[in-house]
Amino acid sequence: MSDPQILETPQGRRIAYHLTPGDGPCVVFLGGLKSDMEGTKAVHLEAWCAAQGRAFLRFDYSGHGQSSGTFEEGCIGDWAEDTAAAITTLTTGKVIPVGSSMGGWQSLLFCRAHPERVAGLVTIAAAPDFTEDGYWASFTDAQKATLERDGQIAMPSDYMEPYIITKRLVDDGRNQLVLRDPLPLPFAVRCLQGTADTAVSTETAVRLLNHADSPDMRLLLVKDADHRFSDGPCLALIEQAVTDVIAAAG
């Protein structure tokens, strides 16, 4: 495995990335919370794009993987800045974000801020607004009091070890919400969601579908697929979704 290259962002964070040159639009993989660019989906998409001669970018947000910082220091807005810096600095022309879980929220933030750079969008178990609608909405009064008092709280996960949720993450998340205001997505969008996902509900996927304004937006529900969405059939569905939005972009 080759060592990543490093991008220093305008905020002084050091972002590790792998960029595969090729034809555009460049496919950009945006990973989930506490995941990294060495995950199954990211590496599979890289090989698939390389086989087609298509440009591909994967990177680690700050506090993730091989990038600088710690997870507990970060928040949605920081990772949105990392995403914008990586895409605007390392790619030219239009891109196709492929956002997984929290990366789905990140992809929507990028699309809202830079629609002129986006040829199409693919989301996988997208988790927009999860700090508010998932964490904060489900916290007990005691947990909310702990968060206010201690500035953080430990959260269990079905997919990894418990992780620390900070007050900064929750507070900043309120400034990054995408399901409260109009969300124009003026390009083809394909959303993939497993029905056995215990981290992101099908209701969230339907809410995003109903809320966004797109001329060509489709949601595919996959029976019994879980949040990882990374077995052979699911990877093939991701490939097909990317192919679809490339074709729609002409």
Side-chain angles (χ1 to χ4, degrees), residues 178-192:
V178 294
L179 296 178
R180 272 71 174 171
D181 298 310
L183 182 61
L185 302 173
F187 33 73
V189 181
R190 298 291 180 267
C191 303
L192 306 173

Side-chain angles (χ1 to χ4, degrees), residues 108 111-113 115 121 178 181-187 189 211-215:
L108 294 168
C111 289
R112 186 172 69 179
L121 171 64
V178 294
D181 298 310
L183 182 61
L185 302 173
F187 33 73
V189 181
H211 178 73
D213 182 12
S214 168

Side-chain angles (χ1 to χ4, degrees), residues 215-238:
D216 179 9
M217 186 173 186
R218 304 175 196 177
L219 167 63
L220 177 64
L221 297 179
V222 183
K223 186 174 175 61
D224 294 333
D226 66 12
H227 190 63
R228 291 184 180 90
F229 211 86
S230 58
D231 63 12
C234 286
L235 293 174
L237 290 172
I238 298 170

